[in-house]
Amino acid sequence: QVPLKPGRSLMDWIRLTKSGKDLTGLKGRLIEVTEDELSKHNKKEDCWICIRGFVYNVTPYMEYHPGGEDELMKAAGTDGTDLFDQVHRWVNYESMLKECLVGRMAVKPIAAPKGLPLVLLDFFFLSKCKILHFLLSFMKCLSAHFFSLSASLNNLNLLCFACLHDIYDWFQTDSLITVVIYTKQKDVNAELVIVDCQDKQLRGEIIIDDHSYLVEVDLDHAVSEDVAVNIAEKVGKVEIILNKKDNIHWKMLGQPCEGHNTFIKRTERGLFYRKCKLVSKTEVTHDTKLFCLMLPKGTHFRVPTGQHVYLKQIIAGTEVVKPYTPVLPFLPLDFQETPHHDGVHIYLMIKIYSHGLFTQALDHLQMGDYISVSNPEGNFKKSQVQTSEDLLLLAGGTGFTPMVKLLNFALTEVSCLRTVKLIFFNKTEDDILWRNQLEQLAHKDERFEVQFILSQPSKEWVGKQGRISSSLLSEFVKRSRRDSKVLICICGPAPFTEQGIQYLKDLGYSQEEIHAFTA
Ligand code: FAD
Ligand code: NAP
């Protein structure tokens, strides 16, 4: 993120897009863009970018881009889809840039080499899911021109499904429909299974390493809201049990949706959102609140430790998405309790910024209002903690949020940990989140220690003060034994995290010993 000039916030951008100004320079016309044409628009004062086949004139957006002009220029005049997916695939660019749409990329006819059917050629170069994607785009855009080709591609489509055929199955009784997914993977647990069933739409996603398998069907008949999910962890079998609304015999499960029965990289799967109800909002500090959201009845998912979700709201007619890291309702002192596993509620600790676009809108939600919540994301792996002897957590402000579940996990489930230390940087005493709970936890569990460091303390503050620095870190970040295995997790404002990582490296910690929480 770079500091933007005054008048260049997201809200200012939304206002500009609503002003009726011609942002493409094409007076509302949509055109077909050739690669040649696209490549000519590669300057700051004339910049077009292609994302997923659509071309946007991002020239007017330059000064509003939170990542800076230089980042945007990396894709100038080219297909920026991969770059976009790497950096922020969760941003709804279709909504943000809709007034900048120039048109579609023109499709180049592909010449097939003699004697080799085009469809086979593509089979060699594309993965199964890409073939499906490819097929669908072709069907949509070019069906009129490629009758014979689409027939061959249909056969290929079946071939792809045949490969995945034995992964899922379904059966019925008078009152139930059971969808069974055989992952053939060990240790499939509730954190890896995400099920949503609303309005006759069934979506069941299974995470297998960095891949995702999806069952997505428009059900043949109505089912009730209650959905049960059974997981046989050892054999990797997942059952989704639906209750029929009417006791009739189903001839088929339903119509497959676009991503149905595909096994693709997680990052290639679009984010899925469901509407959750705001059920409570409690004050944590003068500017930070704990929001409790209730999942719909047909939804089953757990946010794994160290992962975040995206919230989506329509603000002034534009979809705005921001990431938040679920916490627990409180820091459990009695480790028999597992409050985060009720499977129904998500707790978010959110700082409300006085000029914040998203958090102001969030704070204005009333009890019973709905907000869209995405599937979990993030690259933190619990195994990083499970092999450590010392866990050191560096948090700045709400950068504390990923540390909450992490602390609970470490102190309840990781027996090899000897020390767990939180070094918590805040501006003032009033900003410290869950200070009492942290102090109580430190009192109760001798492995845990907390250190508060204030950057703008009052005169009465007798504790440590300062900003993150090499000297503060060398004082507090230490191995309990000379050769002990350490994991250092860091989260806070981006420059805090970046500087922290650098200081840690200067102090001799390796990249493998550091995990930074970022989007
Ligand atoms: P914005 O409109 O983005 O503004 C934020 C602040 O910056 C305001 O004070 C605003 O006045 C100021 N500002 C805006 N634009 C500029 C500018 N150009 N120059 C200078 N100042 C500016 N936050 C939490 O509270 N809890 C969480 O659990 C949490 N989890 C996160 C997880 C991840 C992975 C990431 C990346 C972030 C997380 N955040 C979390 C931060 C969150 O996503 C939002 O960034 C935050 O809520 C601010 O959103 P906003 O739209 O209200 O503020
Ligand atoms: P804040 O109150 O502004 O700052 C917290 C502490 O960090 C203060 O001591 C502050 O010192 C210090 N700090 C701020 N900027 C710094 C910098 N450039 N260099 C060194 N120290 C700095 O923090 P906040 O408003 O709660 O913001 C929390 C941040 O964490 C947000 O940016 C949010 O996006 C991020 N976050 C990320 C994740 C994630 O990636 N998973 C999760 C949650 C939150 P000063 O008094 O000197 O400013």
Side-chain angles (χ1 to χ4, degrees):
Q1 293 226 332
V2 297
L4 299 170
K5 287 185 202 153
R8 294 293 179 269
S9 70
L10 179 53
M11 195 61 216
D12 296 313
W13 171 250
I14 293 174
R15 274 194 210 106
L16 178 63
T17 62
K18 307 272 175 239
S19 66
K21 210 171 157 192
D22 175 15
L23 297 183
T24 58
L26 294 169
K27 302 195 172 73
R29 228 168 12 105
L30 291 178
I31 59 170
E32 278 220 331
V33 184
T34 59
E35 268 181 34
D36 223 28
E37 181 64 30
L38 177 65
S39 66
K40 288 181 195 158
H41 302 270
N42 61 352
K43 296 163 216 69
K44 271 194 185 159
E45 55 286 0
D46 174 19
C47 180
W48 291 9
I49 289 176
C50 169
I51 308 176
R52 285 188 238 293
F54 289 92
V55 178
Y56 298 89
N57 181 349
V58 295
T59 323
Y61 183 62
M62 281 285 165
E63 293 191 337
Y64 298 80
H65 183 230
E69 297 184 5
D70 293 345
E71 273 305 304
L72 209 52
M73 283 307 292
K74 283 186 186 163
T78 65
D79 186 338
T81 311
D82 285 346
L83 193 65
F84 176 85
D85 282 346
Q86 275 167 33
V87 184
H88 35 216
R89 72 185 190 94
W90 44 277
V91 172
N92 188 339
Y93 65 92
E94 286 117 322
S95 179
M96 296 263 292
L97 296 177
K98 59 181 180 265
E99 298 304 325
C100 298
L101 183 65
V102 168
R104 268 176 186 264
M105 281 303 285
V107 182
K108 272 196 304 190
I110 313 160
K114 273 187 201 142
L116 189 60
L118 177 64
V119 69
L120 279 183
L121 185 77
D122 283 309
F123 184 72
F124 293 129
F125 289 121
L126 302 171
S127 66
K128 270 184 286 203
C129 45
K130 281 196 176 146
I131 295 169
L132 288 176
H133 186 74
F134 173 78
L135 168 71
L136 283 163
S137 351
F138 259 76
M139 297 285 276
K140 280 180 196 156
C141 316
L142 304 170
S143 54
H145 305 288
F146 289 89
F147 275 126
S148 57
L149 175 67
S150 62
S152 317
L153 283 168
N154 256 332
N155 291 337
L156 188 62
N157 194 359
L158 288 176
L159 185 73
C160 300
F161 274 82
C163 305
L164 296 169
H165 165 78
D166 56 351
I167 286 189
Y168 93 101
D169 202 352
W170 72 284
F171 57 86
Q172 59 185 311
T173 63
D174 284 350
S175 57
L176 301 175
I177 294 285
T178 303
V179 179
V180 192
I181 302 164
Y182 305 95
T183 67
K184 296 181 181 159
Q185 303 286 315
K186 277 188 189 161
D187 301 328
V188 171
N189 59 54
E191 291 187 346
L192 304 173
V193 178
I194 305 166
V195 174
D196 285 274
C197 187
Q198 267 103 40
D199 305 328
K200 281 181 75 187
Q201 289 279 325
L202 172 67
R203 188 182 185 282
E205 185 175 354
I206 319 263
I207 308 299
I208 300 169
D209 296 327
D210 56 352
H211 279 67
S212 134
Y213 173 73
L214 187 69
V215 166
E216 194 175 24
V217 184
D218 194 357
L219 295 170
D220 212 29
H221 298 277
V223 291
S224 67
E225 280 179 288
D226 294 314
V227 176
V229 177
N230 293 334
I231 303 170
E233 293 200 12
K234 294 216 170 86
V235 290
K237 186 175 89 172
V238 178
E239 283 181 344
I240 305 171
I241 302 161
L242 313 172
N243 290 288
K244 289 180 180 176
K245 264 205 173 144
D246 305 303
N247 288 359
I248 48 170
H249 186 81
W250 291 25
K251 292 206 175 74
M252 60 192 298
L253 182 61
Q255 292 297 330
C257 302
E258 198 176 322
H260 176 64
N261 206 18
T262 53
F263 181 67
I264 58 175
K265 280 205 148 184
R266 254 183 111 171
T267 47
E268 284 171 16
R269 184 86 69 210
L271 276 180
F272 181 79
Y273 289 87
R274 77 279 297 148
K275 291 217 158 106
C276 297
K277 198 199 255 185
L278 176 63
V279 290
S280 71
K281 183 170 78 169
T282 42
E283 274 191 11
V284 177
T285 63
H286 62 104
D287 60 5
T288 302
K289 294 180 183 172
L290 188 67
F291 291 78
C292 176
L293 303 175
M294 193 164 79
L295 295 172
K297 271 191 171 169
T299 294
H300 284 249
F301 86 86
R302 283 185 193 170
V303 182
T305 300
Q307 296 201 10
H308 51 269
V309 293
Y310 295 96
L311 299 190
K312 182 166 79 176
Q313 299 184 90
I314 311 278
I315 302 176
T318 297
E319 271 187 11
V320 183
V321 174
K322 294 265 164 138
Y324 294 95
T325 313
V327 295
L328 306 176
F330 52 85
L331 269 181
L333 296 176
D334 170 1
F335 293 122
Q336 304 306 314
E337 294 175 70
T338 47
H340 54 306
H341 283 168
D342 75 355
V344 179
H345 297 104
I346 293 187
Y347 294 88
L348 297 164
M349 192 187 274
I350 298 181
K351 175 163 168 177
I352 312 296
Y353 292 91
S354 52
H355 295 102
L357 180 67
F358 199 87
T359 50
Q360 280 298 322
L362 199 64
D363 201 26
H364 281 90
L365 291 182
Q366 302 296 313
M367 288 312 118
D369 282 353
Y370 286 84
I371 181 156
S372 297
V373 179
S374 81
N375 286 357
E377 288 229 324
N379 56 7
F380 181 76
K381 294 205 169 55
K382 278 181 182 172
S383 55
Q384 293 168 265
V385 186
Q386 278 157 334
T387 50
S388 300
E389 292 160 290
D390 299 325
L391 177 66
L392 297 152
L393 310 173
L394 307 180
T398 56
F400 170 60
T401 53
M403 310 307 179
V404 172
K405 282 191 181 183
L406 189 47
L407 258 178
N408 188 57
F409 170 69
L411 294 173
T412 51
E413 290 179 49
V414 188
S415 54
C416 58
L417 272 171
R418 267 199 305 269
T419 62
V420 179
K421 191 188 270 187
L422 170 71
I423 301 143
F424 197 179
F425 294 82
N426 283 283
K427 289 185 195 293
T428 70
E429 260 184 288
D430 291 344
D431 296 321
I432 303 176
L433 303 164
W434 281 357
R435 179 177 179 180
N436 281 343
Q437 296 193 44
L438 286 165
E439 284 172 341
Q440 278 182 44
L441 184 60
H443 187 68
K444 181 116 190 188
D445 193 317
E446 59 182 19
R447 290 168 302 165
F448 177 60
E449 193 186 319
V450 59
Q451 182 70 50
F452 301 114
I453 303 181
L454 300 182
S455 49
Q456 299 170 30
S458 65
K459 283 190 203 110
E460 290 76 44
W461 178 251
V462 289
K464 273 279 160 193
Q465 48 182 288
R467 272 183 145 201
I468 194 162
S469 66
S470 198
S471 61
L472 274 177
L473 293 187
S474 62
E475 189 178 341
F476 294 110
V477 179
K478 285 187 183 128
R479 293 175 204 268
S480 59
R481 282 198 316 227
R482 211 162 59 90
D483 57 351
S484 62
K485 262 196 108 227
V486 65
L487 177 68
I488 308 173
C489 295
I490 182 162
C491 188
F496 166 94
T497 306
E498 281 155 25
Q499 288 168 30
I501 294 172
Q502 195 49 54
Y503 295 138
L504 290 169
K505 286 187 177 162
D506 295 345
L507 289 171
Y509 293 97
S510 69
Q511 185 69 56
E512 292 69 44
E513 291 174 317
I514 305 170
H515 179 87
F517 290 100
T518 51

